[in-house]
Amino acid sequence: MDCKFLQHGLAVSYDHVVKPCCDWQYDQDWSAQHALTSVDLANWHQSEIMQIKRADLAQGRWPDQCRRCQEVEQHGRHDSMRGNGNHAYQHYREDDITLEIRPGSTCNFACQTCWPEASSRVAQYHDQAGLIDIRQIDSTSIDSYDWLMPVRHRIKDLVLLGGEPFYDKACRKFLTWALDHSQARLTMFTNASRIDFDWVERYQRPLCLVVSLDGIGRPAEYIRYGTDWEQVWHNYQRLKAYDHVELRVNITLSIYNYFYVGDLIHLLSQDWPDCVTFGHPRQSWMNEWALPDDSRESVIQTLDRAIAVLSRSRIETDQQSNAMNALRSVRQNLHSRRLCRASDLERFQDFYQRMDRVKGIHMRDYCPELSRAIEQPSR
């Protein structure tokens, strides 16, 4: 086995630690040895530790830090970070680099499945709900990009995350840097609420905008709290007018949107984006394990309809297969055995109730099907 990220990847985490990719699991020792201020980026891939990790994988041994990819691939899926990288960067030459960077975490949304390090607004609500101590969150922004100058000519792909890149000041500063100093293909994840269309027009290099959508209408406004659905959908459609923009949609598949993902897929099918991908929350209590048993059949029917629509899409074949397999995996779990774990359901109920309380909203007003399912489970 090999991994393009171990050969070419540079990812800068929220706490300014350098790693090969965003799925890399690291401990305090790694943090101490690979702080951004102490890493020689130009020669990092030739360092002893990276050579060891590549050798381990080449001999079929998964490095401890790669367990997320290992788990995905053990389920027969090909959309692990390793799989996606090997597909996307197969044309790379020896010195080419893909850089993933998170300049800041300021966001105007507080999505239900997001985490405090990725969104200042999520951190605020989690702190108010007593889930975290916000003082423990490292939210220091990157305010200078001079450290990229020695390798800027080698960067072939940029991946930008936030916060919301068009909202966070540090991210916007990086977008200006990219205009002046980079010829790379830029992939950016956005909630599509604050698109800077002037910047989009000016960045006349390959540009991929990945719009995060988890539902439509009222469910979207609950799941991705802060959403004005009409504005988000208007901006999404407007992006289709740009010839140099590859438009993708990423869906976080969770207990929040099992009832609603079919509506979103149907809407997208009226004019398919270039690609549809699926992510999953890391917590078991946000996945199918928390879904009450008597709700399984209606969710299975929703997933079946979405899979059927995806099967007729014009999305690139491998990506289409990955998207369908993500839905099939959830469907198979729901169909094969009684899943609902009381502890997961109780933890999810506690979480959403805390979030509703601090946000001043009620799930039943936005997602009545989900509300009924989780408040009246079979015993």
Side-chain angles (χ1 to χ4, degrees):
M1 294 189 296
D2 68 340
C3 176
K4 292 296 183 183
F5 288 106
L6 291 178
Q7 298 171 288
H8 307 284
L10 284 174
V12 181
S13 63
Y14 294 109
D15 52 356
H16 302 176
V17 173
V18 176
K19 53 184 182 175
C21 74
C22 63
D23 273 357
W24 187 261
Q25 300 294 287
Y26 59 95
D27 55 19
Q28 291 183 346
D29 287 341
W30 182 274
S31 297
Q33 297 172 21
H34 296 89
L36 178 59
T37 54
S38 62
V39 171
D40 176 7
L41 296 182
N43 298 297
W44 188 60
H45 293 100
Q46 285 70 51
S47 64
E48 181 180 3
I49 186 63
M50 295 308 296
Q51 292 185 50
I52 290 173
K53 299 302 180 183
R54 288 197 296 270
D56 284 344
L57 197 61
Q59 297 176 33
R61 298 190 301 268
W62 285 96
D64 292 340
Q65 297 87 350
C66 297
R67 56 184 176 272
R68 286 183 183 160
C69 284
Q70 182 180 13
E71 291 171 359
V72 171
E73 294 185 24
Q74 282 177 342
H75 287 87
R77 291 170 53 187
H78 302 286
D79 57 335
S80 65
M81 184 63 66
R82 186 183 80 93
N84 289 336
N86 286 355
H87 175 77
Y89 309 127
Q90 57 184 314
H91 62 287
Y92 269 27
R93 296 172 299 182
E94 181 178 356
D95 288 338
D96 291 345
I97 290 174
T98 176
L99 171 69
E100 180 181 289
I101 187 169
R102 295 169 167 84
S105 64
T106 303
C107 191
N108 57 331
F109 280 16
C111 303
Q112 306 285 11
T113 57
C114 193
W115 57 100
E117 292 81 3
S119 166
S120 58
R121 203 170 179 197
V122 168
Q124 169 195 338
Y125 286 127
H126 280 220
D127 180 70
Q128 292 175 6
L131 296 171
I132 64 166
D133 180 349
I134 199 170
R135 294 170 297 182
Q136 303 302 314
I137 301 297
D138 184 354
S139 59
T140 305
S141 299
I142 300 175
D143 58 7
S144 173
Y145 302 98
D146 293 344
W147 50 275
L148 282 174
M149 298 304 285
V151 296
R152 65 172 179 144
H153 61 287
R154 294 171 51 192
I155 300 174
K156 302 303 178 184
D157 285 89
L158 284 169
V159 180
L160 175 63
L161 303 99
E164 165 52 40
F166 287 119
Y167 184 78
D168 180 271
K169 290 181 180 179
C171 290
R172 296 205 309 269
K173 188 172 183 178
F174 178 79
L175 291 176
T176 299
W177 181 91
L179 276 175
D180 296 337
H181 298 293
S182 175
Q183 295 298 317
R185 166 188 166 86
L186 174 58
T187 298
M188 186 192 322
F189 287 75
T190 175
N191 60 36
S193 66
R194 299 288 190 96
I195 303 296
D196 183 343
F197 289 99
D198 289 339
W199 182 90
V200 171
E201 291 176 1
R202 292 176 63 197
Y203 197 84
Q204 289 294 318
R205 277 82 91 188
L207 177 61
C208 176
L209 293 180
V210 185
V211 178
S212 298
L213 300 174
D214 292 339
I216 68 175
R218 293 287 280 173
E221 293 176 346
Y222 180 80
I223 300 167
R224 299 183 59 77
Y225 184 68
T227 295
D228 176 338
W229 171 250
E230 295 299 328
Q231 184 64 56
V232 166
W233 187 242
H234 171 78
N235 288 343
Y236 170 84
Q237 292 176 303
R238 185 175 170 184
L239 287 170
K240 287 181 171 290
Y242 293 93
D243 292 336
H244 71 294
V245 173
E246 176 185 353
L247 190 59
R248 298 187 171 204
V249 169
N250 185 69
I251 302 168
T252 300
L253 195 61
S254 75
I255 189 172
Y256 279 106
N257 67 347
Y258 291 148
F259 290 97
Y260 311 109
V261 68
D263 293 335
L264 174 57
I265 294 296
H266 176 74
L267 180 62
L268 295 176
S269 73
Q270 298 174 22
D271 187 7
W272 285 110
D274 293 286
C275 184
V276 176
T277 56
F278 288 91
H280 301 268
R282 296 164 189 169
Q283 306 95 324
S284 64
W285 48 272
M286 280 194 184
N287 289 313
E288 59 265 37
W289 315 106
L291 188 70
D293 298 323
D294 58 1
S295 300
R296 288 183 301 163
E297 189 55 39
S298 60
V299 170
I300 287 172
Q301 292 175 7
T302 295
L303 296 176
D304 283 343
R305 289 193 295 270
I307 292 168
V309 173
L310 277 169
S311 71
R312 300 189 295 270
S313 73
R314 58 171 175 78
I315 299 168
E316 190 269 333
T317 302
D318 287 344
Q319 297 290 353
Q320 179 194 52
S321 177
N322 288 339
M324 293 170 63
N325 285 341
L327 294 178
R328 284 171 176 157
S329 176
V330 175
R331 187 201 184 282
Q332 181 178 354
N333 285 339
L334 291 171
H335 185 73
S336 62
R337 57 189 180 275
R338 294 182 65 83
L339 276 178
C340 184
R341 297 197 289 231
S343 59
D344 282 337
L345 175 57
E346 290 170 2
R347 187 164 183 187
F348 175 68
Q349 289 172 328
D350 176 69
F351 177 79
Y352 98 79
Q353 289 167 1
R354 287 173 183 248
M355 289 297 100
D356 279 9
R357 184 171 61 254
V358 297
K359 293 174 181 176
I361 59 176
H362 299 284
M363 176 191 287
R364 63 178 178 271
D365 296 331
Y366 296 82
C367 304
E369 298 85 358
L370 175 60
S371 180
R372 288 192 296 268
I374 63 173
E375 290 303 336
Q376 299 177 355
S378 58
R379 300 295 182 185

